[in-house]
Amino acid sequence: MRSIARTFAFSLGIAATMIFLIMVAIFVSRYPLEEREFRACRVVAAVLDRATEFDGQNLTVRPTPALMELKADSPNLWYVVSVGDLVSEYRSEHRPALPFAFPYRGPIGLSVFSTHDQKSTFCLAVAQRGSLRLTTMVGEPQVRFGRMARSFLVSRIYSIILVALAFAATVAIGSALAACFVSRGIERVARRALAIDPSAPQGLISLSEVPSELKPLVEALNRAFGEIDAYIRMQRRFLGNAAHQLRTPLTLLRAKIDDVPDPALKAELVRDVRRLTSLVSAMLDLARLQNHAIEKRPIDLAAITLDVLADFGPSALDAGIELALERADEGPFLVQGVDAAIRSALANLVGNALIHAHGARRIVVTLGRGSISVEDDGAGLPDGAEHKLLEPFQTGNSACGGAGLGLSIVREIMAAHDGELVIASDPGCGTTMSLRFPEATATARSRHLDLQTG
């Protein structure tokens, strides 16, 4: 879509030019009588000047198309043309008594005079032709408006163009300023809308901050934000309530499974109940994160990482996978957050790597200032699968019994800590999942500045 300011300015500039030209046409058509007579005199004098031929001996007025048109439009037309002592006259019977004798000896120029009886006017035009003067006296001409308008426009074409451009530029600049004012109002609304938290869009845009033309749009946005907020709250309440309601039946079901006599069936039922329990617990964790603010404290990432790797050591040993810890930076590795939440996020990543990293032989956890990365050397993810894994109930491999909420919860935990979960995978070469806290961004920016100043 084109810019509002440019489109507005261009459109009004064209409109202003058209209005100006219409005004010029109206002005020409409504010329004062004296001005119209003078303009007609100029046109007729030019027609006769082009039609007159003088070879030194004879004076001839040729019947040019313009002159024939003038004669056809003017039933009472008369004129007298003289060069030196030679005179050519047309329809002398219609010519009234004139205040000048022929040949005329007056100055060069063009004027309109009244006849002796003051009942009509006539045109007197004197032009220099070499060493001689061409004198023309014309009465009762009827000049067509189009020819008069063309003469007017041709004689003043540059002035008209300059005035038209100035008029159009003035209107265009004014319209551009008006459009910029509207655009600034739209930008203020957009900035206010972008400042609203997508996870809790209960904030409203104040109607006093926007122009009156945008108030219907802002009211619609506020109503939409309110409906979205109500829907999100309802969804979160349903998620928490459903998880709470499911915990009791699952506990009872787990107790009844112990009475199943068939060992194979009992093991399969236990596995299914564990999966349901894991799903319910994940739903509860997700509901808590979405509905409650967290209280942050200084957390040592190194201590959390050592504890999590110790917890997963036996599982990794059973799976034949090596767990390794590396340090990308020198300590301390401190961040602001909630110990249990960060511990849960890291456990999710390590457990996800142990379960879903097909063909992996080694999982490396790398500690940095404000970041933890979990890298495996497995088969990696298909192209485009990284973004899908961050959505709720999406798994990399449905055959592995995952609930599909793990990475979604990790993303929520990192969002609550003003950080991010970054997934990078290369098919056939493994996957890297990183927890990046605000401290990592600040450290990277500081290093970049150090390199620039160094």
Side-chain angles (χ1 to χ4, degrees):
M1 188 176 181
R2 294 182 179 177
S3 166
I4 294 178
R6 283 184 296 180
T7 303
F8 196 37
F10 182 73
S11 302
L12 284 186
I14 294 178
T17 303
M18 295 301 297
I19 292 172
F20 177 81
L21 294 178
I22 292 172
M23 291 172 61
V24 170
I26 294 174
F27 173 76
V28 173
S29 65
R30 295 183 176 275
Y31 239 13
L33 180 61
E34 295 80 4
E35 292 292 338
R36 294 188 66 177
E37 288 181 349
F38 187 80
R39 180 60 51 193
C41 176
R42 184 182 295 276
V43 172
V44 172
V47 170
L48 288 173
D49 183 69
R50 287 191 292 269
T52 300
E53 292 183 350
F54 176 67
D55 58 4
Q57 299 293 329
N58 299 309
L59 176 64
T60 305
V61 179
R62 296 182 297 103
T64 62
L67 181 59
M68 298 305 295
E69 177 186 293
L70 178 64
K71 289 179 179 180
D73 294 338
S74 310
N76 297 323
L77 176 70
W78 61 265
Y79 61 78
V80 179
V81 179
S82 65
V83 176
D85 295 330
L86 299 177
V87 177
S88 176
E89 190 170 358
Y90 173 71
R91 300 186 74 176
S92 59
E93 67 275 12
H94 289 281
R95 177 171 60 82
L98 300 177
F100 303 109
F102 286 95
Y104 177 73
R105 306 296 182 184
I108 297 173
L110 186 146
S111 300
V112 177
F113 295 96
S114 297
T115 58
H116 269 307
D117 56 11
Q118 301 294 317
K119 293 182 178 180
S120 61
T121 60
F122 69 96
C123 169
L124 172 63
V126 181
Q128 191 72 33
R129 275 200 177 186
S131 60
L132 300 176
R133 290 185 177 183
L134 171 65
T135 303
T136 304
M137 297 184 185
V138 185
E140 303 294 336
Q142 300 295 324
V143 181
R144 294 183 181 182
F145 173 75
R147 185 174 292 278
M148 193 182 305
R150 284 197 300 272
S151 172
F152 174 83
L153 294 175
V154 168
S155 63
R156 291 174 169 81
I157 185 65
Y158 296 109
S159 300
I160 292 174
I161 290 175
L162 289 176
V163 174
L165 290 176
F167 186 66
T170 303
V171 174
I173 292 172
S175 62
L177 293 175
C180 287
F181 173 76
V182 176
S183 298
R184 284 196 298 271
I186 295 175
E187 290 176 0
R188 286 197 299 270
V189 173
R191 287 195 299 269
R192 184 67 181 84
L194 289 173
I196 295 175
D197 184 4
S199 61
Q202 71 275 12
L204 297 180
I205 302 173
S206 174
L207 294 178
S208 62
E209 300 177 1
V210 298
S212 58
E213 293 84 359
L214 296 179
K215 287 184 178 179
L217 174 62
V218 174
E219 289 175 349
L221 284 175
N222 286 338
R223 185 168 59 251
F225 286 143
E227 293 176 356
I228 293 172
D229 181 56
Y231 173 76
I232 291 176
R233 290 178 182 273
M234 181 181 64
Q235 185 184 49
R236 290 173 179 174
R237 283 196 302 269
F238 171 77
L239 185 64
N241 292 336
H244 277 293
Q245 294 297 325
L246 287 173
R247 294 188 79 177
T248 301
L250 285 174
T251 303
L252 296 175
L253 182 60
R254 178 66 180 86
K256 292 179 180 180
I257 290 176
D258 292 336
D259 298 331
V260 176
D262 187 352
L265 178 58
K266 180 178 180 179
E268 185 177 350
L269 290 174
V270 168
R271 183 170 60 251
D272 291 339
V273 170
R274 283 179 178 172
R275 181 181 178 187
L276 285 173
T277 304
S278 173
L279 174 59
V280 170
S281 298
M283 291 172 63
L284 280 173
D285 291 341
L286 186 58
R288 292 192 191 100
L289 282 170
Q290 291 177 336
N291 292 323
H292 302 286
I294 63 174
E295 184 179 351
K296 299 177 184 178
R297 296 178 180 177
I299 304 298
D300 186 0
L301 293 182
I304 291 178
T305 303
L306 289 173
D307 291 344
V308 171
L309 291 182
D311 291 340
F312 280 97
S315 299
L317 187 61
D318 292 340
I321 299 177
E322 177 189 355
L323 280 180
L325 174 63
E326 295 182 356
R327 297 172 183 250
D329 301 299
E330 295 296 329
F333 303 99
L334 297 178
V335 297
Q336 292 292 323
V338 178
D339 184 282
I342 298 175
R343 192 180 298 271
S344 175
L346 181 57
N348 252 306
L349 296 190
V350 177
N352 195 71
L354 286 172
I355 296 172
H356 297 288
H358 305 296
R361 289 291 175 264
R362 192 168 188 261
I363 296 175
V364 179
V365 179
T366 304
L367 268 175
R369 289 187 179 177
S371 67
I372 308 176
S373 298
V374 179
E375 180 181 2
D376 65 70
D377 57 357
L381 298 172
D383 291 336
E386 295 91 337
H387 299 291
K388 294 181 180 179
L389 289 178
L390 295 176
E391 298 301 322
F393 304 105
Q394 294 289 334
T395 62
N397 186 356
S398 59
C400 294
L405 281 174
L407 293 181
S408 178
I409 292 175
V410 173
R411 182 183 62 175
E412 293 291 340
I413 291 173
M414 295 309 297
H417 287 78
D418 299 323
E420 60 180 344
L421 167 63
V422 180
I423 302 176
S425 184
D426 188 4
C429 297
T431 303
T432 301
M433 297 190 182
S434 303
L435 304 178
R436 294 183 182 175
F437 296 87
E439 289 80 357
T441 304
T443 301
R445 189 176 301 163
S446 176
R447 287 179 177 174
H448 180 68
L449 292 175
D450 291 342
L451 289 175
Q452 286 185 332
T453 56

